[in-house]
Amino acid sequence: MSVAVADLLALGLVLAIEKCGGPQIAFRGGRIDAEEPNIPGVPEPQQDLDSHIASFARQGFTKEEMIGLVACGHTFGGVQHDPFPDIVPELNDPHNVETVAHFDSTSTSFDNNIATEYINGTTLNPLVVGTNATTNSDQRIFSSDGNVTMLSFAKSSQHFASTCADLFARMIDTVPSGVQLTEVITLLPVKPELQPLTIDGDILQFAGLIRFWNLTENPDRVVQIIWDDHIGGVHNLTLLPSQERTPGNFMTWYDLGPTEDVEFLSLDATAGITNMQFTLDGKLEDQGSVGPPAAKFDVAVRRGVNVTRMYTEDEVKDATGHGFLVERYSFSPVEPGAATNTPYAFWTANLTQNATSYVTAEIDGAKISVGPIAAFIALPSCPKL
Ligand SMILES: *[C@@H]1O[C@H](CO)[C@@H](O)[C@H](O)[C@H]1NC(C)=O
Ligand SMILES: *[C@@H]1O[C@H](CO)[C@@H](O)[C@H](O)[C@H]1NC(C)=O
Ligand SMILES: *[C@@H]1O[C@H](CO)[C@@H](O)[C@H](O)[C@H]1NC(C)=O
Ligand SMILES: *[C@@H]1O[C@H](CO)[C@@H](O)[C@H](O)[C@H]1NC(C)=O
Ligand SMILES: *[C@@H]1O[C@H](CO)[C@@H](O)[C@H](O)[C@H]1NC(C)=O
Ligand SMILES: *[C@@H]1O[C@H](CO)[C@@H](O)[C@H](O)[C@H]1NC(C)=O
Ligand SMILES: *[C@@H]1O[C@H](CO)[C@@H](O)[C@H](O)[C@H]1NC(C)=O
Ligand SMILES: *[C@@H]1O[C@H](CO)[C@@H](O)[C@H](O)[C@H]1NC(C)=O
């Protein structure tokens, strides 16, 4: 609710780079959407080196940082024929229908091949070895410090990754004066993403995923859930890595489904479930939840927006199949405490087992709904060409 589109775009960059094998990038919130276009800042290939240096300098980046930003950006993608017919000829390649000349040989992975191939002279980057020198802007940029920066990237993929993480964070944190960003937002180390319980005869179907952050995939890891039921039973299940969700470098998912084919946990409906905890290699990861599996749900509201009440609503169907919305959980404003000067105020609700569809707020007397809540459940994997 009232999260700036600019914050979502910045978050998109953070997640896309991680999904494609890149480093973790620090994320801060609090951007304010512009109401009119800014001076275009995307470098054009036919521009000369001095205009590139000036355009990066205007945004606070040195020449070396310009080399870094261009190399980090060009670890992905390439130049497409359609917008740049003079740089990329029509390729007539059935495997490359968009007619893209890629910047490096691994155009959908984050890696330092953009630098190694440039340094070892095998690059096919159309902005380095293009036939028309005027549009070889990567060549001019990469060699503008005598190749020192590109050599350092070629020598160390680790150095490349950490430089890119720093530069990308600074890029998305470049905001007009007067805009104050939040502290770096870190994720909960363990987060259940649970779907509503559904009932099928005597069986309660319990589906969802447990997301771990800052853990690389490790086949030897043992993730278990332990739950109590209403009749004094204690149960456990060892979870399998999710087939549905590809792990990133820092996020990994485990599925409540007991096998690859069965995506939910079947519970005896009479016994039910009262409490659930997770263990990671035997260590308890208690989310502090009591009662049914719960989740805390926070909504950030930009300061200055007059919210009088906030709640979730679910769509319910009556016997005739007519759908209507019912109010379910209400949110309480979180005491701002030390964070009083942040651009957002936070509202929190404790959700129990029912998934909710809409977050609704009353703002200056008007009812405004956002939904359905999709979280990042459908976050796609890195594209493969
Ligand atoms: C050039 O770099 C690429 C990417 O690292 C590597 O695969 C290739 O073997 C290198 N070629 C030479 C001639 O060093
Ligand atoms: C090279 O590119 C520049 C800029 O696009 C263009 O003006 C020039 O005509 C091109 N030269 C040749 C020989 O195609
Ligand atoms: C930089 O490296 C490229 C690729 O190896 C080479 O063609 C160019 O001459 C080098 N430039 C300088 C200034 O060393
Ligand atoms: C991620 O985990 C590593 C190793 O356990 C740790 O050193 C690092 O500080 C963690 N990163 C964050 C951002 O918590
Ligand atoms: C998990 O359940 C099995 C079978 O009921 C039991 O033998 C085992 O001790 C339980 N493990 C844990 C960690 O509670
Ligand atoms: C919020 O409410 C206050 C008091 O009713 C009013 O002065 C202010 O203009 C409102 N702010 C917005 C952004 O509508
Ligand atoms: C959510 O639950 C926690 C822990 O039980 C409690 O401290 C907090 O007040 C609850 N928040 C709301 C909005 O109900
Ligand atoms: C969950 O949803 C069902 C059906 O919509 C409802 O009957 C039940 O009261 C809800 N439970 C909670 C805890 O909100």
Side-chain angles (χ1 to χ4, degrees), residues 7-67:
D7 275 349
L8 298 179
L9 289 172
L11 192 58
L13 171 127
V14 169
L15 293 171
I17 288 185
E18 191 204 316
K19 276 283 186 178
C20 292
Q24 196 168 314
I25 297 166
F27 176 73
R28 298 167 195 272
R31 289 165 195 77
I32 293 177
D33 290 328
E35 286 172 3
E36 53 188 52
N38 211 326
I39 307 164
V42 181
E44 296 281 343
Q46 74 285 357
Q47 289 176 314
D48 64 14
L49 184 61
D50 286 345
S51 26
H52 286 144
I53 292 172
S55 130
F56 280 87
R58 194 161 51 77
Q59 297 169 74
F61 294 102
T62 65
K63 184 172 72 183
E64 285 70 25
E65 290 165 348
M66 165 185 77
I67 299 168

Side-chain angles (χ1 to χ4, degrees), residues 52-293:
H52 286 144
I53 292 172
S55 130
F56 280 87
R58 194 161 51 77
Q59 297 169 74
F61 294 102
T62 65
K63 184 172 72 183
E64 285 70 25
E65 290 165 348
M66 165 185 77
I67 299 168
L69 277 168
V70 173
C72 297
H74 288 182
T75 183
F76 299 115
V79 181
Q80 201 180 357
H81 167 76
D82 269 358
F84 296 103
D86 296 336
I87 301 180
V88 181
E90 186 56 79
L91 299 175
N92 293 318
D93 177 353
H95 300 295
N96 190 350
V97 289
E98 293 189 339
T99 316
V100 179
H102 296 122
F103 294 126
D104 71 13
S105 60
T106 48
S107 65
T108 58
S109 326
F110 183 97
D111 57 31
N112 67 341
N113 284 345
I114 182 75
T116 51
E117 292 168 11
Y118 168 76
I119 292 296
N120 76 15
T122 58
T123 186
L124 299 177
N125 180 340
L127 302 182
V128 172
V129 294
T131 50
N132 185 342
T134 308
T135 50
N136 282 341
S137 52
D138 278 9
Q139 199 273 325
R140 286 190 288 278
I141 288 171
F142 291 167
S143 62
S144 64
D145 69 348
N147 289 334
V148 171
T149 299
M150 290 304 277
L151 256 172
S152 72
F153 291 160
K155 278 191 187 140
S156 165
S157 57
Q158 172 57 40
H159 172 65
F160 178 68
S162 63
T163 305
C164 294
D166 289 345
L167 288 173
F168 282 142
R170 275 183 52 203
M171 182 179 81
I172 58 177
D173 288 354
T174 301
V175 292
S177 57
V179 175
Q180 197 194 347
L181 298 178
T182 65
E183 292 299 306
V184 172
I185 296 171
T186 52
L187 302 182
L188 292 172
V190 183
K191 184 172 188 325
E193 294 175 1
L194 304 177
Q195 289 171 26
L197 287 169
T198 51
I199 193 149
D200 181 13
D202 293 338
I203 298 297
L204 272 182
Q205 296 182 349
F206 188 25
L209 300 167
I210 317 293
R211 188 270 290 145
F212 291 90
W213 178 60
N214 197 22
L215 282 178
T216 44
E217 210 176 8
N218 172 1
D220 298 329
R221 177 182 306 128
V222 178
V223 175
Q224 279 197 318
I225 57 169
I226 301 174
W227 70 95
D228 301 332
D229 64 27
H230 286 281
I231 54 175
V234 182
H235 312 264
N236 68 62
L237 178 76
T238 299
L239 304 185
L240 297 174
S242 170
Q243 301 296 306
E244 171 193 347
R245 211 74 76 79
T246 53
N249 279 0
F250 305 100
M251 284 197 213
T252 183
W253 283 267
Y254 285 78
D255 217 316
L256 285 193
T259 68
E260 283 179 22
D261 302 327
V262 181
E263 289 176 353
F264 52 84
L265 181 61
S266 293
L267 304 176
D268 174 350
T270 321
I273 176 168
T274 60
N275 183 17
M276 188 171 82
Q277 296 172 319
F278 315 100
T279 62
L280 175 61
D281 291 335
K283 182 178 158 288
L284 191 63
E285 294 283 351
D286 192 350
Q287 301 289 295
S289 70
V290 284

